[in-house]
Amino acid sequence: MSMTVTELPHKEQALFRSALKLYEASQYKKGLKVSEQILKKFPDHGETLSVKGMFLAHLERKEEGYELMERGLKINPQSSISWHVYGLVCRSDKKYVQAIKCYEEALKADSENMHILREVASLYVQMRQYSKAVECREKLTAMNPFFPSFWLGLATAHHMNGRYDLAIKVISAHELGNNQPPLDKYMISELSLYKNWLIELNGDYQQALEHLKEIRPQIVDITGWKEKKARLLLKADRKEAAATAFQDLLERNSENDDYITGYMECNGLDMKCDEDQDAVLEVIGTLQQQFPSSNRLRFLPLMYSTGDNFAVAAESLAKYALRKGIPSLFSSVRVLYADKAKGAALGTLI
């Protein structure tokens, strides 16, 4: 009959626990010696054989290590430790499907092992098995509902499974609870923004705007909050308010392409559409007057103009950059040489 860890004498139990700690500390050679010390007295102890195999696998003796782990499982096929050890090695060797099977077998013997549940939940996500990840995270949250990483993991699993409504419910149920450790102001800020994103993903832009207004006092990242507001206003088709929001962002940073693109969209313009190019250049000109120090707004006309308009814009940029002694001028215009006509015009200019 196979012997479990708890059936080992007290001294050997202590040695077994020390071997596991040595594995966590990546001291594989020392761990191997400890496991061999146990096996001298109990050569057929399945769990120690598995642990020894794990150490060998991490010491580049993989074939021998796998043989020992399989031997340990034959001796004690109901051992959660042996299955867990096998799963750890398979995961380390990127055998993710086999690792999941090992973890599942380990959970049959020890269904409430937090370490195994967390590890297999991560693997489920990695292998896109989101519904199973949700099941694992629900178990972990039920075991300790006041531990933030557990219920946040559950919310994230629902998110990845496409159930944004359930992810929102999880956060709403726990964000104001007696969390241990308690959430600091930065975590509360990021969590509030994440919840708002979930509301946005759920398609309710008006509710997302209302929620965004509610959480404003909790937010530390003011720029991130303003970016969300501008984007949500645009998605809610409130273009005039969105244009004002993007204008505010441009005053903070007129070099940001996303802000410029968002402002264009508020004016019903697509910067990639050829039919909109004249109107785009006109808006860029208006923005240049508002933000004369913006290098990005000075460069954008070169991207969207052609012919004589391009030559004039290129000459204006070159004179400004040379006068200011900007060393990155030639690096900036390099992308324009992909267009043969623009490359030829730049060659003439130089």
Side-chain angles (χ1 to χ4, degrees):
M1 185 175 179
S2 61
M3 180 184 292
T4 63
V5 171
T6 55
E7 293 170 336
L8 284 172
H10 180 75
K11 180 182 177 181
E12 280 66 31
Q13 285 188 41
L15 286 172
F16 189 88
R17 287 192 294 270
S18 68
L20 297 179
K21 289 180 180 178
L22 288 168
Y23 171 76
E24 292 174 358
S26 301
Q27 297 184 26
Y28 305 131
K29 290 183 178 179
K30 290 183 179 180
L32 179 61
K33 290 181 179 179
V34 172
S35 58
E36 288 176 339
Q37 188 176 342
I38 299 172
L39 290 171
K40 285 180 181 179
K41 290 187 177 181
F42 304 95
D44 292 326
H45 185 247
E47 291 169 337
T48 305
L49 286 169
S50 295
V51 170
K52 179 182 177 180
M54 175 178 65
F55 285 123
L56 290 172
H58 282 83
L59 290 169
E60 304 303 325
R61 295 164 64 181
K62 291 188 181 294
E63 186 175 347
E64 188 178 352
Y66 274 100
E67 287 178 0
L68 277 178
M69 287 187 293
E70 289 169 4
R71 182 182 163 194
L73 281 170
K74 286 181 181 178
I75 293 173
N76 192 350
Q78 305 301 321
S79 169
S80 66
I81 293 176
S82 293
W83 282 111
H84 188 190
V85 163
Y86 205 161
L88 287 170
V89 176
C90 288
R91 183 178 184 177
S92 176
D93 291 340
K94 300 181 180 180
K95 299 177 181 178
Y96 301 125
V97 175
Q98 183 64 30
I100 287 174
K101 291 179 180 178
C102 293
Y103 285 130
E104 289 174 341
E105 289 294 330
L107 286 171
K108 289 179 182 178
D110 189 2
S111 61
E112 295 188 353
N113 188 303
M114 287 189 181
H115 296 293
I116 300 174
L117 283 168
R118 293 179 76 169
E119 289 168 18
V120 74
S122 298
L123 277 179
Y124 282 142
V125 171
Q126 189 168 337
M127 300 305 292
R128 309 296 190 268
Q129 298 180 27
Y130 300 128
S131 58
K132 290 186 176 181
V134 168
E135 292 177 9
C136 281
R137 291 297 177 181
E138 284 177 337
K139 288 181 181 178
L140 286 167
T141 304
M143 291 163 66
N144 191 345
F146 303 113
F147 192 45
S149 68
F150 284 177
W151 57 263
L152 279 171
L154 176 57
T156 305
H158 280 309
H159 174 184
M160 302 189 79
N161 199 34
R163 292 301 307 272
Y164 309 125
D165 55 330
L166 294 179
I168 294 166
K169 285 182 180 179
V170 169
I171 294 175
S172 299
H174 293 87
E175 61 184 339
L176 299 177
N178 186 24
N179 292 292
Q180 296 296 331
L183 303 178
D184 61 32
K185 66 177 182 179
Y186 301 103
M187 295 175 69
I188 291 171
S189 173
E190 291 302 309
L191 180 62
S192 299
L193 289 173
Y194 176 53
K195 182 180 178 180
N196 186 265
W197 182 38
L198 291 170
I199 298 171
E200 177 188 345
L201 290 174
N202 207 34
D204 195 339
Y205 303 133
Q206 188 56 43
Q207 184 186 349
L209 281 166
E210 292 171 3
H211 176 258
L212 197 65
K213 185 177 180 180
E214 291 174 8
I215 65 175
R216 173 62 182 82
Q218 304 169 1
I219 301 304
V220 177
D221 181 9
I222 304 302
T223 300
W225 184 89
K226 287 178 176 288
E227 289 173 349
K228 273 188 169 291
K229 180 183 177 182
R231 185 175 65 246
L232 285 169
L233 285 168
L234 185 58
K235 286 187 174 182
D237 202 28
R238 294 169 57 182
K239 292 186 178 180
E240 187 175 344
T244 302
F246 278 112
Q247 183 84 17
D248 181 36
L249 287 168
L250 283 167
E251 289 175 1
R252 283 172 165 260
N253 181 7
S254 59
E255 307 290 340
N256 190 300
D257 280 348
D258 291 336
Y259 300 167
I260 297 169
T261 302
Y263 187 78
M264 292 292 178
E265 290 177 6
C266 294
N267 288 276
L269 300 175
D270 183 354
M271 297 179 72
K272 296 180 180 179
C273 178
D274 293 336
E275 296 177 357
D276 290 345
Q277 295 312 304
D278 290 340
V280 166
L281 288 170
E282 185 178 344
V283 174
I284 290 175
T286 303
L287 290 174
Q288 280 180 323
Q289 293 176 6
Q290 295 178 38
F291 308 105
S293 63
S294 172
N295 291 322
R296 189 59 182 166
L297 288 170
R298 192 174 285 107
F299 177 77
L300 281 176
L302 277 69
M303 299 288 292
Y304 301 106
S305 59
T306 57
D308 292 339
N309 290 334
F310 174 80
V312 172
E315 183 177 358
S316 174
L317 175 66
K319 286 181 177 179
Y320 172 82
L322 291 171
R323 191 180 302 117
K324 292 289 185 179
I326 299 175
S328 60
L329 169 63
F330 296 101
S331 298
S332 300
V333 300
R334 185 184 302 166
V335 66
L336 299 172
Y337 281 91
D339 185 315
K340 291 183 179 180
K342 291 183 179 182
L346 288 172
T348 303
L349 179 65
I350 294 173

